[in-house]
Amino acid sequence: MRVLLELLRIVFLFIFGGALVWVVLGPFYNAHPLSGEYQWLGALGVYGVLFVIYRNHWQFSGWYNGKGKKKLSQRVTRIIVFGSVLLLASPWIIAGINH
């Protein structure tokens, strides 16, 4: 039962956390007409950041108490965050190249 509750918690955090961030980022992406075509890259960046936050913080405050609860290494965290920031900026970069 605890695994199911944790799974529902993950889905809730990613759907509503992603939607909340998207409410903030959406108008910025829609400001330039060409960047709207590549918003999905920004969405991948948002979910990359949420994944890092979950693995390094949120998983320790949930219902699941099994084995394997471990933080990401500092190197992996940096790689994912850097890639996510690059993905978040990529719609503007691509729009600037195509303009």
Side-chain angles (χ1 to χ4, degrees):
M1 183 66 176
R2 286 179 172 249
V3 174
L4 181 61
L5 286 172
E6 185 65 18
L7 185 61
L8 288 173
R9 181 175 170 258
I10 292 168
V11 169
F12 178 81
L13 287 171
F14 274 70
I15 288 175
F16 290 108
L20 182 65
V21 172
W22 202 253
V23 166
V24 173
L25 287 179
F28 291 107
Y29 286 135
N30 290 330
H32 193 285
L34 291 175
S35 66
E37 298 175 30
Y38 302 103
Q39 287 183 0
W40 62 275
L41 292 170
L44 288 177
V46 167
Y47 286 116
V49 170
L50 288 175
F51 172 74
V52 168
I53 293 170
Y54 178 80
R55 284 294 305 268
N56 289 344
H57 298 288
W58 289 338
Q59 75 173 332
F60 301 109
S61 64
W63 289 292
Y64 181 67
N65 292 325
K67 299 179 207 173
K69 290 172 67 171
K70 190 171 136 182
K71 284 186 173 185
L72 295 171
S73 71
Q74 192 174 27
R75 181 173 186 227
V76 171
T77 298
R78 286 181 180 174
I79 290 170
I80 294 174
V81 168
F82 176 76
S84 295
V85 169
L86 189 62
L87 283 169
L88 284 166
S90 63
W92 292 300
I93 295 169
I94 293 170
I97 292 171
N98 290 335
H99 186 73

